[in-house]
C-alpha cells in the first residue's frame, strides 16, 4: 500500500503516523488523465472521436471532397465575413455551408432555400426564417435560431470552440436522428474512419439503412481544409478547454 505520512500534534511531535492514499483503478487513472472513453453512436464521446478521426484513404472520395473544396475557395471571403457577424469560426460555418448548400450562396444558410433578396421566408425545415437581404444575414438568422432552440448548441458555438465542440454542434444542427439508428451521423462523419458510408436520411424524417453516402461529412471537409492549409491545428484546438490538444 502507498502511504502519505504526516505529523500529528501530540505530546511527542516526532511521532509520524501513516495515512493511506486511496488507490484508483487503471481505468479511473486513464479517465482522470485524459477524460476520454470511447462512447458509442447512441452516446458519442466527441473528444475521443475528434482525437481518433481521419479521412478515408480513397481516391474517389478525396476527388469528391476536392470538388467541394474548389467551390469553397470561391466563397471563402464571404465565410470569413459571416464568421465575424455570427461569432463562430469560419471553418465551423464551412462545414455547414458545404453540407447545406454546397457553397452556393444563393440559398439561406439554414437549409439552402433560395430566398436571399426575395423577401420570402424559408419553406423547408427550419421553416419561417428570413427574409434575408444577404447571405451573411441568413447565417446570423440560422445561428440565432439554433442557439435559441438548443441550449447545448448555444454553449458549444463561439469564437473559442474547438473541433470536438464542432463535431457535436454539427450533429445538433442536423438533428439527432442517427442516434436512434445506432450509427454516427453521416452529416458529420461521412468519408471518415468513423462511418461506413451506408445509411442516411434521403428526405426530412425518411431514413434508409441501405442508401449510400455520396457526400463528405462536415468533419471530413474540415480535415481536408487542414491538409490544404486553410485552417490550422491551433484553430481546431481552440481556446476553450485548451488543455485538450486534438491535433
Amino acid at each position: 500500500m502507498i502511504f502519505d505520512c504526516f505529523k500529528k500534534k501530540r505530546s511527542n511531535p516526532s511521532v509520524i503516523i501513516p495515512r493511506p492514499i486511496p488507490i484508483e483503478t487503471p481505468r479511473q487513472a486513464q479517465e482522470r488523465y485524459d477524460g476520454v472513453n470511447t462512447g458509442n453512436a447512441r452516446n458519442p464521446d466527441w473528444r475521443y472521436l475528434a482525437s481518433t478521426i481521419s479521412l478515408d484513404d480513397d481516391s474517389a472520395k478525396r476527388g469528391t471532397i476536392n470538388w467541394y473544396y474548389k467551390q469553397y475557395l470561391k466563397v471563402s471571403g464571404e465565410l470569413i465575413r459571416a464568421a465575424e457577424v455570427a461569432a463562430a469560426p469560419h471553418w465551423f460555418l464551412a462545414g455547414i455551408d458545404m453540407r447545406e448548400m454546397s457553397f452556393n450562396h444563393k440559398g439561406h444558410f439554414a437549409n439552402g432555400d433560395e430566398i436571399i433578396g426575395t423577401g420570402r421566408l424559408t419553406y423547408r425545415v427550419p421553416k419561417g426564417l428570413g427574409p434575408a437581404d444577404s447571405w451573411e444575414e441568413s447565417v446570423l438568422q440560422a445561428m440565432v435560431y439554433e442557439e435559441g432552440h438548443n441550449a447545448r448548441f448555444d454553449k458549444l458555438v463561439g469564437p473559442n470552440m474547438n473541433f470536438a465542440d464542432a463535431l457535436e454542434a454539427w450533429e445538433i444542427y442536423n438533428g439527432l436522428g442517427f442516434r436512434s439508428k445506432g450509427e454516427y451521423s453521416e452529416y458529420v462523419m461521412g468519408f471518415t474512419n468513423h462511418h461506413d458510408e451506408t445509411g442516411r436520411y434521403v428526405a426530412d424524417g425518411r431514413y434508409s439503412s441501405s442508401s449510400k453516402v455520396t457526400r463528405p461529412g462536415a468533419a471530413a471537409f474540415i480535415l481536408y481544409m487542414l491538409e490544404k492549409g486553410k485552417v490550422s491545428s491551433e484553430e481546431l484546438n481552440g481556446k476553450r478547454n485548451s488543455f485538450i490538444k486534438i491535433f
Side-chain angles (χ1 to χ4, degrees):
M1 182 175 286
I2 303 171
F3 291 96
D4 177 26
C5 298
F6 66 96
K7 292 183 178 180
K8 187 173 182 179
K9 292 182 180 181
R10 288 187 172 184
S11 57
N12 183 354
S14 64
V15 174
I16 298 176
I17 301 174
R19 181 176 63 190
I21 296 177
I23 299 176
E24 61 189 1
T25 67
R27 180 181 178 123
Q28 289 172 328
Q30 180 67 21
E31 290 183 355
R32 176 178 56 79
Y33 175 73
D34 61 12
V36 168
N37 64 66
T38 58
N40 57 62
R42 296 182 188 277
N43 183 27
D45 186 308
W46 298 108
R47 287 190 294 173
Y48 169 79
L49 293 169
S51 65
T52 57
I53 198 170
S54 63
L55 275 174
D56 285 341
D57 187 16
D58 181 288
S59 59
K61 291 177 183 177
R62 283 182 170 271
T64 300
I65 298 173
N66 190 58
W67 182 87
Y68 285 101
Y69 178 71
K70 289 178 180 178
Q71 311 315 306
Y72 157 78
L73 292 177
K74 298 174 185 178
V75 298
S76 59
E78 293 177 49
L79 274 163
I80 291 172
R81 290 194 296 273
E84 295 175 356
V85 173
H90 75 280
W91 55 266
F92 172 71
L93 298 179
I96 298 174
D97 195 359
M98 185 274 297
R99 288 293 310 197
E100 300 290 346
M101 290 159 289
S102 303
F103 300 109
N104 174 7
H105 287 182
K106 293 180 182 178
H108 196 286
F109 186 76
N111 56 18
D113 288 349
E114 294 191 3
I115 64 160
I116 304 298
T118 67
R120 294 187 289 125
L121 306 180
T122 56
Y123 50 87
R124 292 180 296 177
V125 178
K127 296 179 181 180
L129 297 187
D133 294 328
S134 67
W135 181 79
E136 289 87 349
E137 185 179 0
S138 82
V139 173
L140 181 59
Q141 290 173 356
M143 290 293 101
V144 169
Y145 172 86
E146 197 64 43
E147 289 166 1
H149 283 74
N150 194 301
R152 180 62 181 166
F153 185 89
D154 186 32
K155 183 177 180 180
L156 289 166
V157 175
N160 298 331
M161 69 190 301
N162 62 35
F163 189 60
D165 296 331
L167 295 180
E168 183 177 357
W170 284 323
E171 185 202 37
I172 292 170
Y173 191 86
N174 180 241
L176 305 182
F178 284 100
R179 293 198 183 189
S180 66
K181 311 302 179 186
E183 61 183 51
Y184 293 117
S185 168
E186 59 90 9
Y187 185 99
V188 181
M189 295 298 188
F191 288 21
T192 76
N193 59 317
H194 292 308
H195 204 278
D196 63 4
E197 273 65 74
T198 58
R200 68 187 182 94
Y201 282 85
V202 295
D204 287 338
R206 289 179 54 201
Y207 176 78
S208 170
S209 60
S210 60
S211 185
K212 293 291 184 181
V213 174
T214 58
R215 291 191 296 163
F221 186 76
I222 304 313
L223 292 176
Y224 197 75
M225 285 179 62
L226 179 66
E227 287 186 2
K228 294 294 186 179
K230 293 300 181 180
V231 64
S232 69
S233 57
E234 289 77 17
E235 288 176 280
L236 296 184
N237 278 312
K239 296 178 182 179
R240 177 188 299 166
N241 298 333
S242 58
F243 62 89
I244 306 168
K245 187 169 185 180
I246 299 167
F247 295 96

